[in-house]
């Protein structure tokens, strides 16, 4: 039985490799970052060591029962890996979906516990929000969170200091597609992505897996990346 299982596993691996041929976007390489209080994303911080034409796919606000599975399917169909910055309360409500994201080869960080404007909180409230989101992450994954993205990209001194002390990487962005507007369509999102790629040339892309129009548009967005010759770089942490 054990031998049969090994054969089936090998065949599954072969099929997966065959599915990820040159007709797919694929993941060109992986950057493994140290678990340290670094900060990346040219919008606010240092630039990741990316070559021109390399992008990192990131998604915020999930996991979403309604939309994250569609995002995972689109990524799987194109053999592309991404990083998901999850809201603590959503992790607590959907722990199995959160774990599925990681099982499928993606990496995960946190995006606060409540997705509030943290700058309006007291320092104590900010730290409590971080504590709750870290606890939700550890309960779901069994390890400490390696990375954090501020909601609305609104960094605060108190949380920057706390994250640095905890060796948690701050992940900002290099470009986005403003995919939270009510009138978004696949065509509009694809145009925004194309235009912003032309301006930036590379970098960390912000999208939202909790957003229905984004989930619907993602196959087209990934095709835009492929058609324009961009290479996907996956972020992981030691």
């Amino acid at each position: 039985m054990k031998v049969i299982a090994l054969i089936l596993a090998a065949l599954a691996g072969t099929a997966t490799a065959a599915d990820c041929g040159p007709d797919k976007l694929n993941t060109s390489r992986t950057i493994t970052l140290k678990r340290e209080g670094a900060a990346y994303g040219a919008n606010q911080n240092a630039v990741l060591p990316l070559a021109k034409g390399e992008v990192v796919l990131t998604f915020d606000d999930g996991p979403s029962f309604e939309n994250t599975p569609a995002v995972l399917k689109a990524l799987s169909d194109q053999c592309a890996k991404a990083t998901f910055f999850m809201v603590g309360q959503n992790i607590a409500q959907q722990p199995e979906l959160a774990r599925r994201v990681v099982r499928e080869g993606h990496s995960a960080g946190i995006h606060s516990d409540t997705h509030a404007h943290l700058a309006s909180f007291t320092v104590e409230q900010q730290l409590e929000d971080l504590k709750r989101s870290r606890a939700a992450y550890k309960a779901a994954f069994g390890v400490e969170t390696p990375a954090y993205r501020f909601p609305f990209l609104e960094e605060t001194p108190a949380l920057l200091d706390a994250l640095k002390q905890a060796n948690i990487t701050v992940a900002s962005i290099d470009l986005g597609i403003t995919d939270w507007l009510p009138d978004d369509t696949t065509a509009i999102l694809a145009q925004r992505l194309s235009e912003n790629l032309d301006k930036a040339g590379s970098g960390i892309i912000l999208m939202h897996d909790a957003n229905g129009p984004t989930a619907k548009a993602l196959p087209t967005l990934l095709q835009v990346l492929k058609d324009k010759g961009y290479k996907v770089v996956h972020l992981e942490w030691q």
Side-chain angles (χ1 to χ4, degrees):
M1 267 323 253
K2 188 174 181 180
V3 173
I4 293 173
L6 290 172
I7 292 172
L8 290 174
L11 289 173
T14 302
T16 300
D19 290 343
C20 294
D23 60 317
K24 302 298 176 72
L25 177 60
N26 288 303
T27 302
S28 65
R29 68 185 181 105
T30 298
I31 295 176
T32 302
L33 298 172
K34 294 180 180 179
R35 284 182 175 256
E36 60 182 1
Y40 295 103
N43 190 64
Q44 295 164 293
N45 301 301
V47 178
L48 271 174
L50 299 173
K52 184 174 178 58
E54 289 187 329
V55 293
V56 174
L57 306 178
T58 69
F59 294 89
D60 285 4
D61 295 0
S64 159
F65 177 79
E66 295 83 4
N67 299 307
T68 300
V71 169
L72 291 174
K73 183 181 186 307
L75 292 169
S76 176
D77 287 347
Q78 286 294 333
C79 304
K81 301 302 182 188
T83 302
F84 289 73
F85 291 94
M86 302 179 179
V87 173
Q89 289 187 350
N90 292 344
I91 297 174
Q93 292 169 5
Q94 298 282 344
E96 183 52 37
L97 181 55
R99 286 189 286 267
R100 176 186 164 188
V101 170
V102 173
R103 280 200 309 271
E104 294 192 12
H106 307 289
S107 50
I110 51 177
H111 191 45
S112 82
D113 192 57
T114 57
H115 205 287
H117 289 280
L118 296 175
S120 68
F121 286 14
T122 66
V123 169
E124 291 76 16
Q125 289 171 330
Q126 292 178 43
L127 296 177
E128 180 60 28
D129 185 275
L130 175 61
K131 180 181 177 181
R132 288 196 303 268
S133 60
R134 291 181 65 187
Y137 188 98
K138 189 167 186 179
F141 299 112
V143 296
E144 294 289 346
T145 182
Y148 183 97
R149 176 173 283 156
F150 281 86
F152 309 103
L153 302 179
E154 293 173 349
E155 297 181 354
T156 71
L159 285 176
L160 284 171
D161 184 61
L163 292 164
K164 188 174 183 63
Q165 290 186 38
N167 290 322
I168 297 174
T169 299
V170 174
S172 185
I173 69 169
D174 294 296
L175 67 144
I177 58 172
T178 320
D179 58 333
W180 57 82
L181 300 178
D183 297 331
D184 283 342
T185 65
T186 294
I188 288 172
L189 293 174
Q191 182 178 356
R192 282 196 205 125
L193 175 61
S194 182
E195 291 174 351
N196 291 340
L197 285 168
D198 290 344
K199 293 175 185 176
S202 64
I204 303 168
I205 302 175
L206 167 62
M207 294 175 281
H208 294 81
D209 62 306
N211 188 37
T214 304
K216 181 179 178 181
L218 191 57
T220 299
L221 301 180
L222 296 177
Q223 191 62 45
V224 168
L225 290 172
K226 187 175 187 306
D227 290 346
K228 293 174 78 71
Y230 280 85
K231 305 295 185 184
V232 171
V233 175
H234 186 213
L235 291 185
E236 291 184 346
W237 281 264
Q238 292 176 347

